[in-house]
Amino acid sequence: GESVGLHLPTLSVQEGDNSIINCAYSNSASDYFIWYKQESGKGPQFIIDIRSNMDKRQGQRVTVLLNKTVKHLSLQIAATQPGDSAVYFCAENDNSGTYKYIFGTGTRLKVLA
Amino acid sequence: DSGVTQTPKHLITATGQRVTLRCSPRSGDLSVYWYQQSLDQGLQFLIQYYNGEERAKGNILERFSAQQFPDLHSELNLSSLELGDSALYFCASSVGGISYGYTFGSGTRLTVV
């Protein structure tokens, strides 16, 4: 069933192309960031993380870029596949010692066959 | 299976009623977090417990309360329910003390009619 908002920004990408999902974060004190993927009817799943002392981190088909100057985070997905269709959230820790995360509003990725 | 178990998966109840949502964290995790996800919003942090004690509070209404029991499972109690409380409620857990993000359950979909 529908799990997330109907009014999310949507990125439509052709299968096989690269996807770039962007996120602006708010807390300049945040020192740890995560990208989550949420498929319909499921809870968010961890994709990749990055600490504030890095500006790039690569995983399998995914890369996260961090620009602390403009408080911007991006997720790049290489060779996008139908299974990548989901809502993607960035999350920043609030760095208050509680390990609470603040989530962005999310971007819906649609992969076109 | 993420290891975080939430019950029930679906709940339909009438306005004014009270419900209890249950969460069993991943084995070894001491922290439990509750999030609310409405159709038009992202994930909103409600409350965090660490090893039985409340650690952080977010935008949790006074009609809502939570607790974490000695076996580390947690319950979120929602009372005097209103139509606007209809949402997905997620529980997440982490080991606590380490900012590695956390693992989400599959959520409870609450519908208030």
Side-chain angles (χ1 to χ4, degrees):
Chain A
E2 189 66 41
S3 60
V4 294
L6 299 175
H7 304 295
L8 295 173
T10 299
L11 174 67
S12 295
V13 174
Q14 205 68 34
E15 182 179 355
D17 287 353
N18 297 334
S19 304
I20 300 176
I21 301 171
N22 296 304
C23 174
Y25 65 92
S26 55
N27 185 1
S28 51
S30 295
D31 62 0
Y32 182 65
F33 305 87
I34 307 174
W35 279 99
Y36 282 91
K37 172 186 180 183
Q38 186 176 21
E39 297 174 279
S40 184
K42 297 184 180 179
Q45 297 171 274
F46 175 96
I47 303 174
I48 191 167
D49 60 356
I50 188 167
R51 295 191 179 279
S52 60
N53 61 354
M54 304 170 69
D55 52 22
K56 180 179 180 178
R57 188 151 190 249
Q58 288 184 287
Q60 186 178 17
R61 277 202 310 120
V62 294
T63 301
V64 54
L65 299 178
L66 174 63
N67 184 330
K68 294 182 290 294
T69 304
V70 295
K71 292 191 286 187
H72 183 268
L73 205 60
S74 70
L75 176 70
Q76 300 178 359
I77 304 174
T80 311
Q81 301 170 1
D84 296 326
S85 292
V87 176
Y88 290 82
F89 294 96
C90 66
E92 57 183 295
N93 72 331
D94 75 345
N95 208 12
S96 66
T98 64
Y99 306 105
K100 179 183 68 173
Y101 287 85
I102 301 166
F103 284 78
T105 52
T107 297
R108 186 185 304 280
L109 176 65
K110 284 189 177 178
V111 181
L112 308 172
Chain B
D1 182 7
S2 68
V4 178
T5 304
Q6 287 189 251
T7 57
K9 290 195 183 304
H10 302 277
L11 200 49
I12 301 175
T13 190
T15 54
Q17 295 298 305
R18 171 189 167 96
V19 297
T20 297
L21 312 184
R22 183 188 168 103
C23 169
S24 293
R26 201 176 48 166
S27 178
D29 286 356
L30 300 178
S31 274
V32 169
Y33 307 78
W34 286 98
Y35 280 80
Q36 180 191 56
Q37 187 176 44
S38 303
L39 274 181
D40 291 335
Q41 297 184 19
L43 289 151
Q44 302 292 316
F45 171 73
L46 295 177
I47 198 164
Q48 177 205 356
Y49 280 83
Y50 175 78
N51 203 20
E53 294 189 3
E54 182 183 303
R55 178 63 69 91
K57 244 181 179 177
N59 299 322
I60 187 167
L61 300 171
E62 287 192 9
R63 300 183 285 109
F64 295 1
S65 65
Q67 55 184 327
Q68 186 179 29
F69 295 86
D71 67 351
L72 301 177
H73 91 270
S74 177
E75 292 181 356
L76 179 66
N77 301 298
L78 315 176
S79 62
S80 302
L81 285 166
E82 302 175 359
L83 295 177
D85 298 327
S86 295
L88 271 167
Y89 291 85
F90 286 104
C91 167
S93 72
S94 72
V95 296
I98 302 172
S99 57
Y100 287 161
Y102 31 68
T103 303
F104 282 88
S106 55
T108 292
R109 179 178 292 280
L110 173 66
T111 303
V112 183
V113 297

